[in-house]
Every structure is written in structure tokens, then in C-alpha cells.
Amino acid sequence: MGAIPGNIETDQQPPMTVPLRHFVVGLAFLVAGVGLGIGLHLNAVPGLGRLAHVHLLLAGWICITIMGAMTQFVPVWSGAILHSRRLANLQLGLVVAGLSGFVVAFLLVETAWLIPFAALMLVGFWAFAYNIIRTLGTVEEYDVTERHFLGALGFFLLLTVLGVLLAVDFTVPTFSRIGVSRSGVVGAHATLAVFGAVLTTMYGALYQLGTMFTQTELHGIDHRLRSIEEIAHPTGVVVLAFGRLVAHAPASRVGGLLILFAASAFCLILARKLYEMQVERTPMHTRYIVAVGALALWIAVSVPAWISDPLTRDHLLGAANAGHLLLLGAIGFVVVGTLYHIIPFVIWVNRYSDLLGLEDVPMIDDLYGDRIAAIDGVLLGGGSALIVGANLLEVTGTPALLGGVLVGVGVVAFVSNMVLVLVRHSPHSIDRIVLGSFSPLRVHGSDETVKE
């Protein structure tokens, strides 16, 4: 993709509808992805259903959520002004259109359609990356979160290029002509996506959120562990991706072990912050605790797998059948836990912050339903345990299907809880939040600016 013009209108932090659109659309992709996953267990999904399932959850739910969160909070955390509200709206429409067509093409096995839709996603993700990079370009010195975010954006740029090349190769075999195998490109693409873009973003955000939401600070060994993670993780991602691309087992092994070493360091940091927590526990903290346990277990089972054979497709995300442990148990619970605070926070700032001292206002955690949060926590936790256990023990049939159903119901409960927050407390209607981003008349919008 060519360079995006630099003479784009610069505006204040985006109105609250900008991140909320991303979050609501991301939740819709989450529901679709979980539903498709249950359909896969029932052998009711046509075509390349597994690829559609993975892209709905990763590109649709997690990555679109990341786009919304970075667009909203990078300007706030960094004390900068968002480079362009126009791009913040445009990026979502491009990614949604591209991903929707991409998933349909997988299900219908219309591989020629993959190319234009992959290109649309590339343009959307590059617009997002450009917007955030330009925003951070005004910051004089980067902190640990900003450094992670810049690294994650670089991985976004690389993985989308490989994604388009993979789409092209479906129709016009290309990789064999340059001496690279398709499996190698798939391995590099998955590595850059999961460990590069997603995990790097998660680490960077939790350095802020993990201390902010527990009212703690990094101290003592935390600083040394952070230094280890900051060096080992991005180095490991690059080395593992390159090793898989060229099918070089020693390089892949070193890269994989560096990623696991960095994950261990970060896991210890977050576990220490949760142990030292100075506030009352909320659904967000509970989900972070689950994520720490899942990440620790994923590290333990993946070390021998990546030592023995880091190139096999079964070990793409660690140990054989450990993908759900990482994506659902660790990353998924972090995203769900964070949304339990971020969505109510954005609503609260815009609806109630100006009323402080003038009348009684609810606390942020009063905006969502405690009972629904408890229910979805049990359902998501129990369902995830069944899925992960069935995968690790290689048990097929009922346990995995039951786990999928429990996760599906839990997702519906969680999404319902977040939608109720919007319906009951948002000054804007749901249709205005969601549809506004796709209307050319609302590119600039007139919403209130989110306050720091």
C-alpha cells in the first residue's frame, strides 16, 4: 500500500463513539466466531470453516478491539492529540468490509475473492497503524507501553503483507517460485499475528492497566523482569517468524524459547501486581487472574514442544492442542476483563464525570450487572477449562462440545452485559454508535471529546 497523505486534519481525542464502535463491532465478531466454532464441532460449517473461525476471532474480535483501544487511549496516556479522526473512522469500515468478505470467501471456497478483501483489510490496518504512529510521533520520550505499541504496529504491517500474499497464493501459486513453502509463510504470518501484534499489545497495555487497576507500582525485581521481556519478546517474535519462514529449526527453536522466557517474566510481573492489589477485586481482576494461570500453563506445556519441533503445524501456537489455552485462556480473558472496565469507563467519563459534586453519580463498576458478570465468569471459565482439558488430553466428542456451548452462552451473557451498559447509560443510541462510523456524513462527527 502507498503512503497515506500527511496533510490530514488533526483533531482532539476522538469522541466516545469512535472506540465504542470498534468495541461493539468487535463483540459482534466474537459472537459470530464462537457460533462458528460450535458449528465446526457439529460439522455444520461449509468450506474452509476453521480459517474463517480463526480470522473472526483474531482479526475480528481481538484486533478490532485493539484498534479501538489504541485509538482512544494512546492520545490520553501519551498526552498527545490524535492525528486524524477521519482515519479512525475509516479504518473500522475498511477492516469490517474486508474481513466480512474474507470470511464469506472462506466459507464458499471462492479463493479468488480472498485477494481484494485481504487488500481491504491491509489498507484498514495500515491506516490504523499510520494514525497511531503519527500520533506518537509528537511524543518526545516513549514509556514502556508506547514502545510496545510501536512494536505491535510494526508487526501489524508485516503480518498483513503476508496475509495478502497468502490470499494471492490460493489462486496463483507464488511461493514455490521463490523457494519458500506456503506452510512456512503461514507459520510466519501466525507468529507475527498472535505473538507479534496481539501479545505485544497485551503486554504493553497491561504495564499500564495492571498497575493502574490494582493501585500498585513496579518495584524491585519487576524492573529487571520488564527489561528481560522488552528485549526477549520482540527478538523472539522476529527470530521465530524468520525461522518458520525459511524452515530453519534451530532459529525457530531459539525464537520460541525467547518468547516463552519473556512470557514467564511478564507473567511474574502481572501475578505480583494482582497479589499486591490495593483495591477491592472486580470482574476485571478475576479474569486477569485466570489469564495469568492460563499463560503460566501454556508456557509449561509449550517449552518441550518448541524444543522438540517448533516447525510442525501442530506446534504453531505452542504445544499440540494448546492454542485454546493461549488464545481463549490467556489473551481472551485479558480482553474480556479489560472491556469490563474500559467500556463502562468511556461511558462514565462522558455521561457522569461532569456531574461529580453536583449530584449522586454511580461508580464505574456500578454500570454493569454484577450477577451477569458472575454468570458469564462461571460459564466462560468452566467452558474454557473443558475445551482446554479436552485438547490437552486429546479427548474428543462431548467434553469439547459442551465446553464450546458453555463458552458460547458465556459470551452471549458478557456481550449482553456490555450492551446493557450502552443502552442504559450512553448518551448516544446503539444505532448511532455503530452505524455512525460508516456514514460519510459523520466522519468528523460532533460528539463530545473524551476527557483525559
Side-chain angles (χ1 to χ4, degrees), residues 225-271:
L225 292 171
R226 185 188 69 183
S227 298
I228 290 172
E229 182 274 320
E230 278 205 83
I231 296 172
H233 179 72
T235 304
V237 172
V238 171
V239 173
L240 178 59
F242 177 77
R244 285 175 165 173
L245 182 65
V246 300
H248 191 272
S252 299
R253 189 172 293 113
V254 170
L257 292 178
L258 283 173
I259 289 174
L260 294 172
F261 188 44
S264 300
F266 182 81
C267 195
L268 282 173
I269 293 173
L270 186 56

Side-chain angles (χ1 to χ4, degrees), residues 41 290-291 293-302 317 319-333 379-407:
H41 279 293
V290 173
L295 185 61
L297 181 57
W298 173 76
I299 293 166
V301 300
S302 296
L317 299 181
N321 300 318
H324 282 95
L325 186 57
L326 175 64
L327 297 178
L328 180 58
I331 296 172
F333 271 80
L379 291 170
L380 290 172
S384 299
L386 282 173
I387 293 173
V388 169
N391 286 341
L392 293 179
L393 298 175
E394 298 184 355
V395 176
T396 58
T398 303
L401 178 58
L402 177 59
V405 171
L406 290 177
V407 167

Side-chain angles (χ1 to χ4, degrees), residues 183-199:
S183 61
V185 180
V186 169
H189 177 66
T191 300
L192 293 171
V194 176
F195 304 114
V198 174
L199 211 55

Side-chain angles (χ1 to χ4, degrees), residues 69 71 90 104 128 133 140 157 159 189 207 212 225 268 357 370 399:
T71 299
L90 180 63
V104 171
F128 155 67
I133 290 171
E140 292 184 1
L157 299 179
L159 77 89
H189 177 66
Y207 278 116
M212 182 191 308
L225 292 171
L268 282 173
D370 289 336

